[in-house]
């Protein structure tokens, strides 16, 4: 068993479930077995090669359990920052400025790698965990802020879309602290639904809904019920986390539910790895979608944009009319 301080968690007890979820464009919950390590607040632990500011390669959902009363310092600041779709130019100026001001930056290893080098070099300390560390690293960020540091916890997309903005507030509350004491703030980023929609045209310009197929935190029965309710109405639908090795059936079930309520020729935008080196974009018909589960196009980095009964494809772009054509001549 390793020693931990400053909110770092012991990686000896890890929980394996959805091993691919956190690769999605917006934040998600995921799990992957990890080895233990030790961490110290600002001092390097030579036995593990890790410190409270060095990159840390262990992750667990086990909580340290410290409270606000355990910290003598005046609280610092905690900001949840959305990095957007992945490429540096997709980050907002506000997000970049916030990260440049932060003393400590905390995040999933893949997301830390998305941050421009000039930003990471300006930080005093970086702390990252691989998949499965969403609870432990969020608590790490909270504890660092309670210890008096200016802390940014980062994720791709937007902190309020299947990400850690809410978890951060829940952990602050559980520790007996307040969001006001930590000057907690969310700095939004472009969510996957919007960045992926931009790749295929204008599919989400009318009422739309997002649904995640990840049953890591939400039972599949609830996901199916929500999807049926959405599919029966005229919403366009952004589907997150469509596929993983353990969720093949979820994707197939979702395709079947959509086909119960929408024609087989309904356009669907399929965007794999938006903003990343392996980005791939296709527009297919709903009746073809299920077969794509057997290809590399649909995985945890894919977002699906399902059109409604009015959505059509023109010149290689999806268009969902907003309704102007019924009121104006053009």
């Amino acid at each position: 068993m390793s020693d931990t301080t400053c909110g770092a968690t012991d990686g000896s007890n890890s929980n394996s479930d959805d091993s691919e979820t956190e690769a999605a464009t917006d934040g998600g919950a995921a799990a992957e077995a990890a080895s233990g390590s030790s961490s110290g607040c600002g001092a390097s632990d030579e036995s593990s090669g890790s410190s409270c500011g060095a990159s840390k390669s262990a992750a667990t959902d086990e909580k340290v359990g410290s409270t606000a009363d355990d910290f003598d310092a005046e609280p610092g600041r905690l900001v949840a920052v959305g990095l957007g779709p992945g490429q540096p130019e997709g980050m907002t100026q506000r997000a970049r400025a916030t990260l440049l001001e932060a003393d400590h930056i905390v995040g999933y290893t893949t997301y830390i790698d998305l941050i421009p080098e000039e930003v990471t070099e300006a930080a005093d300390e970086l702390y990252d965990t691989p998949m499965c560390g969403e609870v432990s690293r969020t608590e790490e960020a909270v504890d660092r802020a309670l210890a008096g540091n200016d802390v940014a916890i980062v994720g791709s997309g937007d902190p309020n879309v299947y990400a850690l903005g809410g978890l951060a507030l829940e952990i602050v509350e559980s520790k007996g602290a307040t969001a006001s004491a930590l000057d907690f703030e969310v700095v939004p980023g472009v969510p996957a639904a919007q960045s992926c929609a931009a790749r295929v045209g204008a599919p989400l310009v009318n009422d739309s809904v997002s649904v995640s197929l990840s049953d890591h935190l939400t039972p599949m029965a609830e996901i199916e019920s929500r999807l049926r309710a959405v599919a029966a109405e005229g919403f366009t639908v952004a589907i997150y986390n469509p596929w993983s090795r353990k969720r093949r059936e979820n994707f197939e079930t979702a395709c079947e539910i959509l086909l119960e309520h929408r024609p087989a020729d309904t356009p669907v935008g399929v965007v794999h790895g938006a903003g990343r080196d392996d980005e791939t974009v296709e527009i297919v018909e709903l009746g073809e979608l299920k077969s794509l589960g057997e290809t590399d196009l649909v995985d945890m980095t894919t977002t699906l944009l399902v059109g409604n009964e009015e959505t059509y494809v023109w010149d290689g772009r999806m268009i969902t009319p907003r309704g102007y054509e019924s009121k104006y001549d053009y």
Side-chain angles (χ1 to χ4, degrees), residues 213 242-243 247-258 290 293-294:
L213 298 189
W243 175 280
R247 286 205 305 277
R248 173 175 179 172
E249 294 82 3
N250 296 15
F251 175 75
E252 294 173 344
T253 298
C255 292
E256 292 165 1
I257 291 173
L258 289 167
K290 187 175 180 179
E294 304 298 332

Side-chain angles (χ1 to χ4, degrees), residues 158-205:
D158 184 273
N160 277 323
V161 182
Y162 306 117
L164 301 182
L167 178 60
L169 285 171
E170 290 176 38
I171 291 178
V172 170
E173 181 182 17
S174 74
K175 290 178 178 292
T178 65
S180 298
L182 289 176
D183 194 19
F184 178 82
E185 185 179 8
V186 172
V187 175
V190 180
Q194 305 306 324
S195 61
C196 292
R199 302 300 201 277
V200 297
L204 303 180
V205 297

Side-chain angles (χ1 to χ4, degrees), residues 277-327:
D277 292 339
D278 62 343
E279 177 180 306
T280 306
V281 179
E282 289 190 20
I283 298 176
V284 303
E285 292 186 350
L286 180 57
E288 305 173 62
L289 188 59
K290 187 175 180 179
S291 65
L292 295 183
E294 304 298 332
T295 72
D296 293 335
L297 187 60
V298 178
D299 63 15
M300 294 308 297
T301 70
T302 302
T303 301
L304 308 174
L305 294 314
V306 183
N308 63 16
E309 64 276 8
E310 296 181 338
T311 305
Y312 64 99
V313 178
W314 172 80
D315 194 26
R317 276 84 168 172
M318 289 177 67
I319 302 173
T320 300
R322 177 70 176 87
Y324 293 107
E325 73 285 352
S326 66
K327 293 184 176 295

